[in-house]
Amino acid sequence: MRSQFEDNFLFGAATSAYQIEGATSTDGRGPSIWDSFCAKQGTIVDKSSGDIACDHYNRLGSDVGLMKELGLSAYRFSIAWPRIQATGQGAANPKGLAFYDRLLDQLLGLGITPYTTLYHWDLPLALGEKGGWENRDTAERFADYAHCVSKHFGDRIANWATFNEPRCAAFVGHLEGRHAPGLKSLKATLAAAHHMLLAHGLGVQAMRGNTKTKLGIVLDMKPYHAIDDDPANELAARHGDTIFNHWFADPIFGKGYPVEVVEAFGDAMPLIQDTDFKTIAQPIDSLGINYYTRNLTRANHKLPYPHAEEVKNPAARYSDMGWEVFPAGLTEILTRIHQRYNLPDYYIAENGGAFPDKANEDNFVNDADRIYYMEQHLQAIAKAKAQGVPVSAYMAWSLLDNFEWGLGYTKRFGIVRVDYQNQTRTPKASAHWYRDFINGKA
Ligand code: PNW
């Protein structure tokens, strides 16, 4: 199957700063909204936080060594904004920059291509206290941060994403309340979403002159499929799909917000200034897509708009997150997105599953479910490529078991097991399989 991908197709793994680094008050890192969210009662199921996580901050060298052993040709990580600007503004913290300099030196030294995300949800708390993403000024602060890191790291980062999943940060953080800052307001959600989009556009503008490498964004996507052809179910699926997959992508690619949904959101819509859509629609070079599952949908009018209730498919496999394993949805998303936006380059920025990993005495995990998951999704990508979609890289989520946000350490997404008692890393069967696959042996 390796032969269905070009020789220079990149196979890597992804992580994010708050989920693995730990060292949350080391070397001048300021607090983020996630530190304060975790400290509140009842927010994280196992009452944990990212304070230590995988202690990656102190284990950089061996973690990059592990990537090399696994044969990875790329690594996607995020930069913690509060390490660079403790309060979200002002001069860059040299120790924060130095940490990522060391990471880049090691990656480049071993021939591993760095992909970076500037915002994977860890907003400096000082900005959170001034209204966070509901405050339009946060977009200006982000642009300043983007300028500062792109000037410093320049062409050493091959591919830059402004945001990881603004949809998730806006909706799960401001509507569902399961993520920081823990709000439950549609108005707050849509304001946060708009200001993140604006921040993306301003960020790309700020970075353009500082690097010749690729600029873009990472969006989470999944198809919504009606459970049957009942028009009510089809309508709920269509609106659910539009919000999930196009609310962010349409403005980024110059189409503004989808009109049907704007009407439905009515009074909850944020203030939009005249030039906003022009700012948001900066040309980008590369789109990262995070794909995990689909949504099988039935209309339920007891639920708020889009009245879409997710239902189970009795015939399907599910991951430990309760997410249906649905590889065909990745081919569908790639071909649909390419048809609608026609971009020059896509990469899969995250794909993977949490599976109930039972370790043996040696911490080894025989995660056949994860191997099946990865194999099927790689095949789904090959199918999309055969239909002409220019996909250039695949990042497994995740390199390491890590802090799974509101679910703490109860879900394990890694291809490498982490024993949180002693921070031992043990590659799971999937990591061995992935290395063989990359080398054309699986
Ligand atoms: C990702 N969905 O979000 C995040 O980027 C990671 O930080 C996180 O650890 C990972 O998922 C696993 O949860 C998702 O709609 C967003 O299926 C949306 C979906 C799944 C994951």
Side-chain angles (χ1 to χ4, degrees):
M1 210 226 307
R2 173 65 178 91
S3 58
Q4 292 175 264
F5 298 87
E6 305 85 339
D7 288 345
N8 64 356
F9 191 96
L10 297 175
F11 293 100
T15 62
S16 88
Y18 190 66
Q19 293 180 274
I20 65 163
E21 287 179 358
T24 48
S25 43
T26 307
D27 290 341
R29 177 191 179 277
S32 83
I33 57 171
W34 269 93
D35 297 293
S36 75
F37 186 67
C38 293
K40 285 193 195 121
Q41 272 193 2
T43 53
I44 312 298
V45 296
D46 59 2
K47 304 187 169 55
S48 66
S49 72
D51 279 359
I52 299 173
C54 306
D55 195 34
H56 171 71
Y57 193 80
N58 297 306
R59 289 164 199 269
L60 195 62
S62 49
D63 282 347
V64 178
L66 186 58
M67 296 172 209
K68 186 67 191 171
E69 274 169 46
L70 297 180
L72 307 185
S73 47
Y75 174 53
R76 171 176 177 248
F77 62 95
S78 79
I79 295 177
W81 184 353
R83 286 199 195 283
I84 307 300
Q85 294 175 311
T87 60
Q89 51 195 316
N93 167 16
K95 288 185 176 164
L97 293 171
F99 170 69
Y100 298 104
D101 277 330
R102 289 201 298 282
L103 173 59
L104 289 170
D105 286 348
Q106 308 220 15
L107 291 169
L108 294 169
L110 292 171
I112 301 171
T113 302
Y115 278 51
T116 301
T117 303
L118 299 194
Y119 186 80
H120 201 127
W121 309 352
D122 42 1
L123 184 73
L125 182 59
L127 298 182
E129 285 169 345
K130 288 182 203 149
W133 288 110
E134 285 182 83
N135 180 354
R136 191 179 165 97
D137 185 58
T138 301
E140 303 286 345
R141 301 281 70 75
F142 177 83
D144 180 54
Y145 158 62
H147 171 73
C148 160
V149 286
S150 56
K151 195 156 183 65
H152 183 83
F153 300 113
D155 296 344
R156 288 196 291 157
I157 289 168
N159 188 309
W160 300 78
T162 50
F163 281 77
N164 177 71
E165 303 184 348
R167 186 210 64 83
C168 201
F171 282 77
V172 184
H174 301 75
L175 187 65
E176 297 175 34
R178 289 186 289 114
H179 285 178
L183 305 179
K184 291 187 178 171
S185 146
L186 182 61
K187 228 174 145 82
T189 302
L190 298 180
H194 189 67
H195 298 144
M196 284 188 231
L197 282 166
L198 197 61
H200 159 76
L202 293 169
V204 170
Q205 280 178 342
M207 292 160 79
R208 232 354 133 188
N210 291 336
T211 172
K212 293 184 290 299
T213 56
K214 285 182 175 165
L215 304 182
I217 188 166
V218 173
L219 302 176
D220 52 330
M221 296 190 152
K222 66 179 169 194
Y224 279 58
H225 292 157
I227 183 118
D228 56 28
D229 59 8
D230 181 325
N233 295 336
E234 283 181 343
L235 189 71
R238 190 175 84 224
H239 282 226
D241 194 282
T242 304
I243 296 170
F244 203 99
N245 300 306
H246 304 301
W247 189 255
F248 292 83
D250 273 10
I252 290 169
F253 302 116
K255 298 178 190 291
Y257 288 124
V259 176
E260 226 179 13
V261 180
V262 170
E263 280 167 16
F265 281 153
D267 291 349
M269 282 297 290
L271 276 177
I272 299 172
Q273 297 186 6
D274 288 348
T275 54
D276 285 0
F277 287 121
K278 200 166 163 241
T279 306
I280 293 166
Q282 293 304 306
I284 65 172
D285 314 304
S286 186
L287 173 67
I289 294 176
N290 291 351
Y291 179 83
Y292 288 90
T293 187
R294 71 159 163 180
N295 187 303
L296 193 60
T297 313
R298 177 165 55 210
N300 178 347
H301 283 271
K302 289 193 194 106
L303 296 176
Y305 174 79
H307 319 300
E309 179 185 354
E310 185 168 4
V311 292
K312 292 270 173 192
N313 172 6
R317 299 195 194 197
Y318 280 81
S319 78
D320 210 15
M321 298 290 282
W323 297 344
E324 182 181 354
V325 177
F326 191 72
L330 180 49
T331 315
E332 177 185 331
I333 283 292
L334 284 169
T335 49
R336 255 177 60 184
I337 293 301
H338 189 49
Q339 210 160 39
R340 187 168 171 122
Y341 305 117
N342 195 28
L343 306 178
D345 179 59
Y346 306 87
Y347 63 102
I348 303 306
E350 290 177 24
N351 174 245
F355 292 100
D357 290 351
K358 285 202 187 56
N360 69 15
E361 319 72 77
D362 303 321
N363 254 327
F364 184 75
V365 175
N366 193 0
D367 54 343
D369 291 330
R370 182 171 289 106
I371 296 177
Y372 174 83
Y373 186 99
M374 291 173 74
E375 216 243 325
Q376 293 294 307
H377 286 83
L378 284 161
Q379 248 165 42
I381 297 164
K383 260 191 206 155
K385 284 172 69 64
Q387 292 173 48
V389 185
V391 186
S392 59
Y394 173 85
M395 310 288 174
W397 184 269
S398 176
L399 177 69
L400 303 171
D401 290 337
N402 60 45
F403 176 72
E404 180 50 28
W405 306 111
L407 299 172
Y409 297 95
T410 66
K411 303 290 174 206
R412 291 178 176 272
F413 272 92
I415 58 172
V416 174
R417 179 177 173 85
V418 175
D419 180 335
Y420 295 109
Q421 300 300 314
N422 53 23
Q423 294 292 345
T424 305
R425 275 79 162 129
T426 312
K428 302 178 191 178
S430 55
H432 296 286
W433 173 84
Y434 193 35
R435 185 195 51 212
D436 288 348
F437 169 83
I438 295 169
N439 294 326
K441 290 185 204 147

